Amino acid sequence: MNSFKPEFIEKLKRAESIVFFTGAGVSAESGISTFRGTDGIWNRLKPEELANFDAFMRNPERVWEWYQYRKQIIHQSKPNAAHIAIAEFQNYFNDVVVVTQNVDNLHRRAGSKVIYELHGNIERNYCIKCKTEYNQPDLSFPDKKPKCKCGGLIRPDIVWFGEMLPEDQFSASEAAAQRCDIIFVVGTSAVVYPAAQIPLLAKRFGAYLVEINLERTEISSLADCSLLGKAGEIFPDILKEVKQIRSTEKLNRE
Ligand code: BJW
Ligand code: ZN
């Protein structure tokens, strides 16, 4: 069991509003590869060949092949101890928001209720011409280059490099960052913008910033509390502290 610094425990006691800002590392223990770092997929594949609109138009079959492969892995995966503990925070705090860069739906499957998805969702697709949505979780398009009934190409609803983030998700994330008392920055290298502005904004508005990562990142120098290790091991321990705080409060009231 981790032991946490008293200042962090004190913040947990007083907090009413909590944001979890998550990245690929929170799903690593579910068997989904991260992008960067030693096991990152970008070590094998170049983002400019797959994760942008020009690449898709040049070679939609290749981009679709990659997404079908990832869809399969995600479909077979399950939320891990970190996703589950994060969802459980809802039982102890009134205002819990998950702002995720992930497209894998694992926070939703773990039971988190308020989730803002900054980079889209791999279970959704849409036609680039008429914008009709094609949402099939198991999505087995018969074609290697799926087309809409209007003739337009269907693409995954993922935010690629050079594309705008969904406005509603981003502005709701900004609002959550501005009002939260604690922001947990979990399993992200925090190098992709504008998503990486969210923890900076929370900090600027006075939130206590707790980072959980295997290693130091771009954001570590700003963290009030850095917890180095696996999210799936650290979060259940934080949740134990929360449960203890709540049961002591209950005893004191009785
Ligand atoms: C664990 C763990 C465990 C492991 N426990 N921890 C130059 C400077 C600044 C900005 C730019 C620039 N050039 C271009 C830009 C803008 C660009 C950008 O930020 N680029 C930077 C990379 C340089 N951003 C954009 O293009 C964005 N749009 C935009 O800016 O629009 C405005 C605009 C419009 C028009 C013209 C110009 C501007 C869009 C960004 C979209 C990002 N999309 C992707 C999708 C990829 C495709 C796909 O998913 O299919 O989103 S990229 C990829 O990175 C993905 C992720 O969500 C995102 C963030 O990655 P994340 O989650 O942080 O993962 P990793 O792998 O980096 O880190 C994992 C971490 O976990 C590591 O730290 C591990 O240690 C840790 N970890 N296991 C705890 N068990
Ligand atoms: Zn169409």
Side-chain angles (χ1 to χ4, degrees):
M1 166 112 175
N2 279 283
S3 69
F4 303 109
K5 57 179 180 176
E7 178 190 90
F8 171 41
I9 301 296
E10 208 45 46
K11 293 284 173 188
L12 272 178
K13 276 186 193 158
R14 291 170 198 277
E16 286 173 9
S17 173
I18 299 202
V19 167
F20 295 93
F21 177 75
T22 68
V26 79
S27 297
E29 291 158 73
S30 294
I32 301 171
S33 297
T34 60
F35 293 93
R36 301 165 189 85
T38 26
D39 294 328
I41 33 185
W42 290 154
N43 294 337
R44 286 173 275 129
L45 300 157
K46 290 198 179 105
E48 60 271 21
E49 281 175 20
L50 293 161
N52 70 68
F53 188 72
D54 291 343
F56 179 68
M57 291 314 280
R58 266 198 312 273
N59 196 343
E61 288 93 339
R62 177 149 194 264
V63 174
W64 263 114
E65 198 183 335
W66 188 54
Y67 278 99
Q68 296 289 27
Y69 164 73
R70 285 180 51 213
K71 247 178 214 288
Q72 250 172 33
I73 292 175
I74 289 171
H75 199 65
Q76 286 157 6
S77 69
K78 288 196 186 83
N80 64 50
H83 298 105
I84 292 165
I86 287 172
E88 255 204 79
F89 270 68
Q90 293 166 154
N91 300 334
Y92 302 97
F93 298 89
N94 287 330
D95 183 18
V96 177
V97 172
V98 175
V99 175
T100 189
Q101 298 166 89
N102 298 345
V103 299
D104 58 27
N105 253 326
L106 290 181
H107 285 298
R108 192 163 289 112
R109 284 171 57 196
S112 282
K113 293 196 176 80
V114 184
I115 306 166
Y116 302 130
E117 293 174 322
L118 296 180
H119 292 159
N121 187 307
I122 202 158
E123 291 187 359
R124 296 193 306 254
N125 314 277
Y126 66 93
C127 166
I128 62 170
K129 207 164 144 197
C130 72
K131 312 294 177 215
T132 297
E133 289 182 18
Y134 289 82
N135 301 333
Q136 295 151 263
D138 62 340
L139 203 85
S140 38
F141 279 128
D143 202 331
K144 287 196 166 151
K145 192 166 80 173
K147 287 224 174 114
C148 175
K149 44 191 180 300
C150 80
L153 273 174
I154 296 172
R155 61 165 281 180
D157 190 358
I158 305 265
V159 182
W160 286 326
F161 286 110
E163 295 184 326
M164 303 299 281
L165 273 58
E167 178 96 42
D168 57 337
Q169 305 293 295
F170 193 70
S171 56
S173 304
E174 284 182 311
Q178 289 175 9
R179 69 173 184 268
C180 72
D181 303 304
I182 301 180
I183 183 160
F184 289 98
V185 181
V186 192
T188 176
S189 55
V191 294
V192 176
Y193 279 83
Q197 279 170 12
I198 296 298
L200 306 181
L201 183 66
K203 178 81 187 169
R204 190 145 53 81
F205 273 71
Y208 189 76
L209 195 156
V210 183
E211 182 179 44
I212 290 146
N213 201 303
L214 295 179
E215 57 192 28
R216 287 184 64 81
T217 70
E218 288 292 304
I219 217 140
S220 302
S221 57
L222 278 182
D224 297 294
C225 175
S226 266
L227 303 171
L228 288 180
K230 290 186 174 178
E233 290 172 6
I234 294 175
F235 267 112
D237 283 351
I238 300 178
L239 191 66
K240 273 187 205 146
E241 294 286 349
V242 170
K243 287 181 180 171
Q244 185 146 16
I245 290 168
R246 290 294 187 256
S247 61
T248 316
E249 282 170 355
K250 201 171 162 225
L251 278 177
N252 288 344
R253 276 199 308 272
E254 282 166 4

